[in-house]
Structures are given as structure tokens and as C-alpha cells.
Amino acid sequence: MDAPATWGLWFAVAYLAGSLPFGLLIGRWQGVDLRAAGSGNLGATNVGRVLGRKWGLVCFALDAAKGLGPVLGYGLASGMVGGEADGALRALAWLSVAAAAMVGHVFPVWLKFKGGKGVATGLGALLGVWPTLTLPAAVAALVWLGTVRRTGYVSLASMLAAVSLPVLAVLSGLMFDRPAGEVAVYAAVTAALAGLVVLRHRSNIARLRAGTETKVRWMSK
């Protein structure tokens, strides 16, 4: 593993970047407290629902970027971008930075640890693990988009995309001929992040089962 001080710095940067509440800031810019509007969530879905498609897409891009930036930065600083993680411990260090960004979004220090559901930030973070998890993240994004287009349910799309990631991560690791221990780390961490996404959607699951989940129209325009 890289020097603990270096890793710890990037881990903290990733968490603090992930904690940036872009949904709240965009809402305030437009004169709306999104915590008291729509679903009350600060993610891109609610931003789009309340403020319109343009601001929803802006929020999605910013939330993805705050995951991508620290993860790609750590990978470049550690010489791992390009598939050179070279071992389970280094892969775990890299993915822990990705997890920190996502956890920062879900439990932001600036908002008393009450944040969003982590989908866009998690996507951006995994895209930064180049190339082993970049392709799985891109495929998961296509799963998400296809499900939203077909059903209108962002919650269902987010969960399906998340649970597809561990399988896609294993296939990608094998395709890039990564060591077995490293592939196991990719599978374990993506499975844990998928579990967090599903957990954050437990109220949506109840509404989906009851047939009362709200469809999101602005993403299909």
C-alpha cells in the first residue's frame, strides 16, 4: 500500500469533496431549499423535479465530478491509472478513496450527515478507477439509463445499475488479466457500495412494491 500519510490525505479529500452539497447550493442559487421541496432529497433527481431538466443535469454532472476528481487524482499520484494497481492492497487503497467520496455524499459532514443516495457520486468515483472499473461503471450507467427510459423509475434504475457492478467488475478484472486477489477486492468493494445504494432506497422499494413510486418525467425529455 502507498504511504499512509499520502493515502490518508486523499481519503480525506475524497470524503470532503463528496460532502459538497451541490443540490443544496443549486437550490439556494435558484431561491429554493430542496430539503423542503419535492422529495426533500438533494440529489439530481429531485433537483430536476423541482428546478427543471437543465439544473438536474448540472447537479448530476457536479455530483459525478466530485467522485471522479479525487479518485482519478489518487490513481495518477500513485501511478495506478492504466491498470497498474499491482496487488490487492493497492487496489483496496484506491477503492477506499472511491468509497470515501460516495460516503461523503451520503453522509455529508456539512449537513449533519444527512445527504443523498450516492448514485451519481459513486458512478463518477468508479469511472476514475481506470481502466478496470471504468468499463463496468459505463455499462452500469447504460443499465441505469435504459431502465429510466423504459420504466421512468430512477430508484429502480439506480438499484439495478448498482447490483450489476460486482459482476461487471469481476468480468472486467478477468478481461484485463488482473490478479485474483485484486479482482476479489473489486468485487467486494463494489458489492458493498451496491448494498449501500440499495439500503438508501429502502423507502423507494416499499413504494415500488405498493405501486406508489413516482415516475420521473424530466429525464426522458
Side-chain angles (χ1 to χ4, degrees):
M1 187 179 288
D2 301 292
T6 301
W7 169 81
L9 175 62
W10 281 101
F11 186 90
V13 167
Y15 173 77
L16 293 174
S19 293
L20 292 172
F22 286 121
L24 180 65
L25 296 175
I26 290 170
R28 286 184 173 174
W29 180 265
Q30 296 299 304
V32 178
D33 186 347
L34 287 168
R35 293 172 294 184
S39 67
N41 192 271
L42 296 178
T45 301
N46 196 43
V47 172
R49 179 184 291 117
V50 176
L51 300 177
R53 183 172 184 264
K54 178 183 75 172
W55 290 112
L57 293 174
V58 168
C59 184
F60 187 93
L62 290 172
D63 281 347
K66 71 185 185 182
L68 174 63
V71 174
L72 191 58
Y74 177 72
L76 288 169
S78 303
M80 292 189 289
V81 169
E84 299 301 324
D86 288 333
L89 286 178
R90 296 197 78 201
L92 182 60
W94 199 3
L95 288 179
S96 69
V97 173
M102 184 173 169
V103 169
H105 179 83
V106 176
F107 304 108
V109 65
W110 320 115
L111 299 177
K112 298 180 180 179
F113 306 103
K114 296 179 181 178
K117 297 182 179 179
V119 176
T121 303
L123 170 65
L126 295 181
L127 285 172
V129 186
W130 175 273
T132 314
L133 292 185
T134 305
L135 181 58
V139 173
L142 292 177
V143 171
W144 182 90
L145 182 61
T147 305
V148 171
R149 293 280 187 176
R150 184 172 181 83
T151 69
Y153 294 126
V154 173
S155 56
L156 178 62
S158 298
M159 289 185 287
L160 288 177
V163 299
S164 73
L165 272 169
V167 175
L168 293 169
V170 170
L171 293 176
S172 180
L174 295 175
M175 183 177 70
F176 285 105
D177 196 28
R178 304 311 303 162
E182 190 177 315
V183 174
V185 167
Y186 293 139
V189 174
T190 53
L193 295 180
L196 177 60
V197 168
V198 173
L199 182 64
R200 295 291 290 176
H201 283 84
R202 57 190 182 279
S203 61
N204 302 88
I205 294 172
R207 290 194 294 270
L208 284 167
R209 295 181 65 181
T212 58
E213 178 75 325
T214 302
K215 292 187 177 183
V216 177
R217 304 295 183 185
W218 67 268
M219 291 187 182
S220 61
K221 292 182 180 179

